[in-house]
Amino acid sequence: MSGLEQLYQQIILDHAKRRVGDGLQEPATGGRSGESHQHNPICGDQIRLRVELDGSRIAKVSWEGNGCSISMASASVLTELAEGVEQDELLELIDVFRELMRSRGSIEADEEVLGDGAAFAGVAKFPARVKCAMLAWVAAENALLAAA
């Protein structure tokens, strides 16, 4: 395993333990929010994710779920990247992450864009694990649509 692969593996393990955003929060009264529940029937991973908006900006992301380290770390990374960005920016990030996951390892992750999300580049080589990594991102996309 290369040094970069080891670093990426450590980032995933750290996020799986820290779980940034874990603990579904009630939305602020009068604010716009959307929620989505996603389930991966293949492995049993599941997440319920809520996005709160302040105008077009992501004010807060919170979630609850259970599953493998990949799915929980991915939700944590998504939370860190999403909070404070514009709704359109988050949708673009989701598209970039989706493209990375669909690449089967043929494209390099752009750390400037994805931050710690680049650590999931190796996951793209394992189709059975891609759904685990995508679970929170699909939930966020659906939550944004529900908030519209």
Side-chain angles (χ1 to χ4, degrees):
M1 184 181 300
S2 76
L4 184 59
E5 288 171 328
Q6 287 178 336
L7 175 63
Y8 281 173
Q9 185 178 38
Q10 190 59 48
I11 288 170
I12 291 172
L13 292 173
D14 287 347
H15 270 282
K17 289 177 188 168
R18 279 192 296 146
R19 295 172 64 130
V20 175
D22 186 19
L24 196 62
Q25 303 292 312
E26 287 299 318
T29 305
R32 282 189 330 156
S33 66
E35 184 178 304
S36 176
H37 177 261
Q38 297 294 314
H39 178 249
N40 183 350
I42 295 170
C43 64
D45 291 359
Q46 59 182 320
I47 188 166
R48 180 175 310 279
L49 185 140
R50 181 173 293 138
V51 174
E52 293 182 57
L53 299 172
D54 180 8
S56 63
R57 187 180 61 81
I58 309 300
K60 185 166 194 66
V61 175
S62 63
W63 56 274
E64 63 185 8
N66 57 16
C68 68
S69 293
I70 292 171
S71 65
M72 298 297 99
S74 188
S76 176
V77 167
L78 168 73
T79 301
E80 279 191 347
L81 289 172
E83 288 185 348
V85 303
E86 294 293 316
Q87 193 172 349
D88 291 343
E89 289 178 72
L90 179 54
L91 290 171
E92 287 175 24
L93 274 174
I94 292 168
D95 285 342
V96 170
F97 191 78
R98 182 179 284 120
E99 182 181 356
L100 176 65
M101 290 297 98
R102 289 181 176 166
S103 77
R104 294 192 178 231
S106 66
I107 61 174
E108 265 189 59
D110 186 344
E111 289 184 41
E112 292 292 319
V113 174
L114 289 174
D116 282 353
F120 293 88
V123 173
K125 297 175 186 174
F126 304 97
R129 304 308 300 215
V130 167
K131 286 188 178 189
C132 300
M134 283 299 304
L135 201 63
W137 298 76
V138 170
E141 185 175 47
N142 289 340
L144 283 173
L145 292 173

